[in-house]
Amino acid sequence: ERRKEIVKQIKKMAEDSKVAVRNVRRDGMDALKKMKNNKELSEDEHAVCEKDVDKVIAETIEKIDKLCADKEKDVLSV
């Protein structure tokens, strides 16, 4: 029973981490948009940067999911 509680905490922490990552993505996209509006970035540079940000965020969320699954297996198997 205690292990199930720990797994719930792990899942909550993973979800909180994903939310934090999404907030960073939003802030990054806002900064890119401001740079584009201020003519600091061209349309092409803006599009490339957005794709790069999305790629990094997707990889980070995948890592969080994998770590969560690994830790869940670890806790339940002991």
Side-chain angles (χ1 to χ4, degrees):
E1 192 174 304
R2 177 71 179 135
R3 290 181 188 174
K4 289 181 182 179
E5 290 175 27
I6 292 172
V7 168
K8 283 182 186 177
Q9 289 177 342
I10 292 168
K11 287 183 180 181
K12 184 181 182 323
M13 290 171 74
E15 187 57 36
D16 291 344
S17 298
K18 287 187 213 177
V19 169
V21 168
R22 289 186 198 114
N23 288 339
V24 169
R25 177 191 179 278
R26 186 192 64 230
D27 294 343
M29 290 298 189
D30 288 346
L32 287 173
K33 191 177 288 187
K34 285 180 184 177
M35 289 175 75
K36 185 180 109 182
N37 290 340
N38 292 337
K39 306 289 187 212
E40 296 173 27
L41 281 179
S42 69
E43 290 284 334
D44 293 338
E45 291 172 326
H46 180 259
V48 169
C49 289
E50 275 189 346
K51 287 180 185 177
D52 290 344
V53 169
D54 282 336
K55 181 181 173 187
V56 170
I57 296 300
E59 289 172 358
T60 305
I61 289 177
E62 274 183 37
K63 287 179 186 177
I64 291 170
D65 287 338
K66 184 178 182 328
L67 289 171
C68 180
D70 290 347
K71 186 51 84 174
E72 185 177 335
K73 284 181 192 176
D74 187 35
V75 168
L76 293 176
S77 69
V78 173

